[in-house]
C-alpha cells in the first residue's frame, strides 16, 4: 500500500494532539477511523511510531518521520492553496503588452482596481509598439495586448476606444495661440518630427508634410523630449499627451478627421489563465461604465 497524504495528516495530528480522541475531533473523524489509518501507516513503515497506546510519546523512528510528515503536509497544503487561488484568480501570472500611451494613461486605474481585488497575482507589464504587441501575442509571450492591432486568426479583438490625431507642441509655441484655425496648409515650414503613428493618417494633404520630415522618432519619451526642447512639432493621438497638458498643447486640426483606434486582444477566453480572464472582464466593465477614460 502506498503512503497517502491522509496517512501523513493523521499521524501528524495524533503526534501534535497527543491522543487519538483529540486528533479525531480536529480531523472530524471517529477515533476508530483515525486508529485504523494510523495502524495502516505503521504497517507500511514496518515499525511502531508511538511508545505507548496513549500516543503521547513518539519512538525514535516516529520522531524522524514526524519531521518529514510535517514538511510534506505543509507542502501539500501550500500546493492546494495555490491551485485554489489560481481557480479564483487570487494567484497567478498576468503578462500585458501595451503601447506607451496606454501604459501611462489607461492602465494605472485598471491595475489599481485589479491588484486591490487580486493582490497576489504577479503582473508583467511591458510597453512596446503595436506591431511588437501582435508578435508577442502570436508567440504566446503575452496574455493580453492593447494597441492599434490588426485582426489575427485565433485571437479575439475588441475596440477599446479611439482618439483623434492632433498637432503637439510646447504650450508656449506660437501655433498654440490660434489652434482652432489650424489646417495642414497653415503649418508652413514648421519642422515636423515624424513617428510611427503618422502612418495611420491617410489624409493626402498630410503626405507631403510627412515626406519632408528629416526626423523620425518612434519612442514617445524621446519624441516629446525633442518637442519640449523646441526642435520641432509632431502629430499624435490625444491620449498620448492627455496627462501632459501643463507642458504640451494638443491642437486638433480643422481639416483632419483621422483617429487612432485602440484594440484589446487576447486568445479565446477558454485558453486564458483565470487571472487574464478576470483582467479582461475588469477592463471591459470599466469601458462600459465610462470609468476607463473619463476625460477623453
Amino acid at each position: 500500500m502506498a503512503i497517502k497524504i491522509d496517512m501523513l495528516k493523521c499521524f501528524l495530528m495524533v503526534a501534535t494532539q497527543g491522543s487519538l480522541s483529540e486528533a479525531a475531533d480536529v480531523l472530524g473523524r471517529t477515533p476508530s477511523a483515525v486508529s485504523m489509518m494510523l495502524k495502516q501507516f505503521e504497517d507500511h513503515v514496518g515499525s511502531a511510531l508511538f511508545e505507548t497506546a496513549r500516543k503521547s510519546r513518539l519512538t525514535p523512528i516516529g520522531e524522524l518521520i514526524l519531521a518529514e510528515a510535517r514538511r510534506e503536509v505543509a507542502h501539500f497544503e501550500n500546493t492546494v492553496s495555490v491551485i485554489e487561488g489560481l481557480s479564483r484568480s487570487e494567484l497567478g501570472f498576468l503578462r500585458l503588452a501595451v503601447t506607451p500611451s496606454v501604459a501611462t494613461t489607461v492602465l494605472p486605474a485598471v491595475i489599481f482596481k485589479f491588484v486591490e481585488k487580486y493582490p497576489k497575482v504577479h503582473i508583467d507589464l511591458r510597453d512596446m509598439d503595436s506591431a511588437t504587441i501582435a508578435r508577442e501575442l502570436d508567440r504566446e509571450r503575452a496574455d493580453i495586448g492593447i494597441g492599434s492591432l490588426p485582426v489575427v486568426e485565433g485571437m479575439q479583438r475588441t475596440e477599446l476606444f479611439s482618439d483623434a490625431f492632433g498637432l503637439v507642441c510646447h504650450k508656449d509655441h506660437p501655433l498654440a495661440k490660434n489652434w482652432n484655425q489650424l489646417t495642414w496648409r497653415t503649418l508652413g515650414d514648421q519642422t515636423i518630427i515624424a513617428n510611427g503613428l503618422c502612418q495611420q493618417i491617410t489624409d493626402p494633404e498630410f503626405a507631403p508634410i510627412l515626406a519632408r520630415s528629416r526626423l523620425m522618432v518612434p519612442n514617445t519619451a524621446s519624441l516629446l523630449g525633442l518637442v519640449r526642447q523646441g526642435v520641432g512639432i509632431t502629430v499624435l493621438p490625444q491620449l498620448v499627451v492627455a496627462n501632459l497638458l501643463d507642458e504640451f498643447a494638443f491642437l486638433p486640426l480643422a481639416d483632419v478627421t483621422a483617429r487612432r483606434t485602440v484594440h484589446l486582444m487576447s486568445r479565446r477566453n477558454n485558453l486564458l489563465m483565470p487571472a487574464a480572464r478576470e483582467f479582461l472582464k475588469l477592463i471591459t466593465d470599466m469601458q462600459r461604465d465610462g470609468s476607463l477614460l473619463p476625460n477623453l
Side-chain angles (χ1 to χ4, degrees):
M1 179 185 294
I3 295 178
K4 299 178 181 179
I5 192 66
D6 281 349
M7 289 180 179
L8 296 180
K9 285 183 175 181
C10 177
F11 167 61
L12 180 60
M13 191 55 64
V14 173
T16 302
Q17 297 298 322
S19 75
L20 288 172
S21 59
E22 290 183 22
D25 287 342
V26 176
L27 293 170
R29 299 187 178 186
T30 64
S32 60
V34 172
S35 179
M36 183 180 298
M37 183 163 289
L38 186 60
K39 185 178 185 308
Q40 289 175 345
F41 187 38
E42 289 180 324
D43 288 344
H44 185 89
V45 172
S47 177
L49 301 175
F50 294 91
E51 291 187 352
T52 66
R54 291 175 57 85
K55 313 301 181 188
S56 58
R57 182 178 299 176
L58 289 164
T59 62
I61 186 68
E63 293 280 2
L64 295 174
I65 291 176
L66 176 63
E68 295 300 324
R70 183 175 285 118
R71 233 184 331 264
E72 186 60 32
V73 170
H75 175 71
F76 176 80
E77 291 179 345
N78 181 65
T79 300
V80 171
S81 176
V82 169
I83 291 172
E84 292 176 344
L86 284 170
S87 67
R88 296 192 301 268
S89 301
E90 292 177 356
L91 300 173
F93 193 72
L94 175 62
R95 300 169 300 172
L96 303 173
V98 302
T99 56
S101 62
V102 170
T104 57
T105 57
V106 177
L107 279 195
V110 182
I111 290 179
F112 177 82
K113 288 188 176 183
F114 186 81
V115 298
E116 193 173 41
K117 189 173 183 180
Y118 306 110
K120 296 181 180 180
V121 172
H122 178 82
I123 300 175
D124 177 24
L125 170 62
R126 292 172 292 147
D127 61 85
M128 57 193 70
D129 61 70
S130 293
T132 306
I133 291 172
R135 287 196 298 271
E136 292 296 281
L137 288 168
D138 183 60
R139 295 171 183 172
E140 298 187 28
R141 295 198 295 221
D143 302 309
I144 296 171
I146 306 177
S148 298
L149 303 169
V151 174
V152 177
E153 185 177 357
M155 298 281 182
Q156 56 184 12
R157 185 189 76 152
T158 57
E159 181 177 328
L160 201 57
F161 64 88
S162 69
D163 53 346
F165 279 95
L167 208 66
V168 174
C169 60
H170 193 274
K171 66 176 183 179
D172 296 326
H173 195 283
L175 287 174
K177 299 176 182 178
N178 198 26
W179 64 266
N180 60 335
Q181 301 298 320
L182 280 177
T183 68
W184 293 130
R185 299 183 188 89
T186 59
L187 292 184
D189 296 327
Q190 294 288 336
T191 300
I192 299 291
I193 307 173
N195 60 79
L197 292 173
C198 290
Q199 300 300 325
Q200 296 187 31
I201 302 175
T202 58
D203 190 323
E205 293 192 3
F206 179 64
I209 294 173
L210 183 60
R212 75 167 187 257
S213 174
R214 295 295 177 264
L215 284 170
M216 171 63 183
V217 185
N219 181 273
T220 304
S222 300
L223 174 67
L224 292 178
L226 294 177
V227 174
R228 181 184 295 110
Q229 190 62 37
V231 174
I233 60 178
T234 192
V235 180
L236 287 168
Q238 183 178 0
L239 185 68
V240 176
V241 292
N243 294 337
L244 303 172
L245 296 181
D246 58 334
E247 185 175 8
F248 298 99
F250 176 80
L251 313 176
L253 283 88
D255 58 352
V256 174
T257 59
R259 298 182 69 85
R260 172 189 65 162
T261 301
V262 174
H263 303 97
L264 183 66
M265 182 178 284
S266 69
R267 296 195 175 276
R268 305 294 179 187
N269 269 13
N270 62 328
L271 299 177
L272 293 174
M273 292 291 285
R277 292 201 298 268
E278 291 300 321
F279 188 87
L280 283 177
K281 182 179 183 302
L282 173 62
I283 197 169
T284 301
D285 288 346
M286 292 179 68
Q287 177 200 34
R288 188 179 298 115
D289 65 23
S291 62
L292 184 64
L293 294 169
N295 299 319
L296 187 64

